[in-house]
Amino acid sequence: MDQTRSIRGVLWVTIFALILAVGNSGGEESVSRPGDPVYQALRQVTSLDRIIAAQNVRLRRDAAELVFEQGELRFAAPVNDRNWLAVFSGKGLLRLTPSTVIERDHLRLLTKKQSLDVFEERFKSAVLIWADGTFEELAGAGAPQSSPAGDEAMKSLRKFQELMREKLRWNLELRILPDMYNPPKTGMFVAFVQGDEHSKLLYVLDPRGASVALAGTEESGLLNGDEDQIGWWYLSHTKDELAAAGAAHEDRAAFETIQYSIDCTVDKSESINATARIRVRIKEDGARVLAFSLAPKLAIRKVTLLPDQTPVQWIKEGEKEGDDFGIVLPRPASKDEEIELEVQYGGKDIIVDTGEGNYFVGWRTSWYPSVPKMVDYATFELEFRVPKGHDVVAVGDLVRRWTEGEQECSEWRTPVPVLVAGFNYGKFAKLEQKDPKTGVTVEVYTNPGTPNFIKEIESYMQAAERPNIGAMMDPDGVNYMVMNQSIGKWDTTALAQYTLANALFSMRLYSHYFGPLPFTRIAISQQPPAFFGQAWPTLVYLPFTAFMGGYQRQVMGLGGAGFSRGFIQVVGQHEVAHQWWGHLVGHGSYRDEWLSEGLAEFSSSLALEKSAGLKRAREFWKTSRIEISNNPRAEVDPYKAGPISLGSRLETQRTGGAYGAIVYGKGAYIVHMLRMMMQGPHGQDDAFVAMMKDFTTHNAGRACSTADFKAAVERHMTKEMDVDGNQRMDWFFGEWLDGTEIPSYELQARLDPTGKGQLRLTGSLRQQGVSENFRMIVPIYIDLGSDQIVRIGRIRCAGSTAVPLDVTLPIAKAAGVLVNANYDVLSLE
């Protein structure tokens, strides 16, 4: 739900980052509440007393096999009568066999081993944690023995704990706690391997999903924790899940949130104090530990069960260990039982003062106790109290505003369940207008004051000791700052009307193409960050650069074509589109994130086409094609980094920029290609509109998958799109969603008059640079001159076979023949 573009004004970005960072230190420490003995015992391992010899001991866990060739295993004391941790010292081998071709290829790219089919890592030390049958396997494989104190084994354990707690910021003990309360052989397995080549490898097999951070449901994963290569090198459903059709995307969360009521007070020091009442529905019998996220600098003060205010144990470690927050119920809950909790919390640095009524509101997904995977739709009632002279604009509908002493108060309520709630804070000027056609009121909130970082930049640019170096330009055509010149009067309210008009236009266009929203208002609010926008339900955060005039952008080094005609022109439309893609329709995991970002990016191109014309839209797709196919600063070009289903995992040390190029750019292009294939002979979008409205209708209010989008396409596909004759689009989604190939096209054509006022087109079209099974439907156009380009037909290409052209056209003259004139198909050239 973020819109981020690459900007080469390095000097400007550095200054902005330094200024915004001021005031981000300090904060209130939160500590775990004593009381749950099982959790405390998991956290406080002081010795490894039981020892067995290990020789050729093998543990197989789905895609991974651990071989303890020779050495010893030292076990921690049981917790809750369960053995759960061991440290191995000696000689061992980790072997991982990828379950899918996509994951195999990703491992090959990361390891730079193009023939790799099995990943292997030799190691001398490993830490094992489990809540399954691992102990029985290990204990029965070797003889008990005595040994000197295990200092080295404890060092290995401490290194593992430091990695998890302070580097990865993942409270593993909180994750394994619910498994310790449940019957054995149903829980997770973790192996931390200090390898000879990679010193921080973590294999995870977790029935609830190996990676909470990626909001995935995949159970089997290999994480490389080395700082220069950090990331999930392997993630997949288990082999059994992959073999069981329809089971691989089940959400195995223990509970879901269904209702929030949050009272939040902001004091004059920008600290917040809040009480959140949360209603949850239990999804499995025996659930006792509920896992949430809460910003690291927010401290828990009290957790109770309602309506009786029964105190409840809670778990939240210090700021350095991340945002994991757990609640331990006093008894196991039953499936479908609804429980209401009250959480009192507060702290600093959620809101940062950036000067003269400008504030940055951070931790937007965890300023309240939220579900880490962000897939639950819940209703929200929000009440804010802030110092006089300040305003809050929040998600939902404004119920009322009032004043209490020195506080401005407001109440907000979401009309339907939503995925996330947020607010913006500061001093605002407001502009609003209702669209009579859609019934939606658009509000624009700008900050009249001049923020500190603008003052700092102005001072820097006018420093007397600096020479007038004029406007420098980098290789990408983005200017640096112009020294010895003034930014001029700072007034972002001047462009509020332009922003309002754009938002109204976008809302009307998207409602026509995608269907109506369940919201009657949308607020566009200015925020201090310069280069990204963000959208929550009914609330859009736009960068202050979107409200700047052209002269100011030019002086500040933001006048290059890539910025002023790219990011600035579409960021508003992109974020408004997230009301449909990301909020009305959510996405289920990181593999489906393109449904939010790609569809939003496509929507912004559609708004650009309808507002600025087809020529400008062609420039958009041309630029997008270049960004997808080539990144001179990365070791691997974006389209070769992997398929779109890798999501954020596309961004690696070797593939910088691939995430944005593929998830945003290629994701948008996939929808664009579908639209072009479904378009009528005169550019009618009726079939495409019907398909998109069907998709939103079927998936409104739920986190959907790529399979759901594919099903909607198949319900509306044209006869021409049925390449396999089975009413399925497997051919298209297999190539563009699961593959990395991008074709190029060679057209050989000539036009000859027939003597009857007609032209005969002959020649051939060849698809190149793809495998023999790659198929695509490619349009052919006639250029009539005066910027009149007419599609005369579509040709089905397969592999690299040349397709002959021979057709008589009912026209007397033409300027030429074109292939892919509207960038209908993503191609390399």
Side-chain angles (χ1 to χ4, degrees), residues 17 30 77 90 148 191 197 205 227 380 388 397 505 643 682 696 729 785 822:
S30 58
E197 184 174 356
L205 182 62
E227 291 183 2
F380 286 81
K388 262 191 174 181
D397 296 328
F505 173 79
H682 303 293
T696 56
M729 290 291 289
N822 287 327

Side-chain angles (χ1 to χ4, degrees), residues 532-570:
F532 83 93
Q534 197 168 43
W536 275 186
T538 74
L539 176 60
V540 170
Y541 305 88
L542 280 189
F544 74 87
T545 50
F547 297 90
M548 290 168 56
Y551 168 77
Q552 290 175 322
R553 287 200 298 266
Q554 187 71 38
V555 170
M556 292 174 62
L558 303 176
F563 185 86
S564 61
R565 295 202 304 272
F567 173 75
I568 284 298
Q569 194 162 2
V570 300

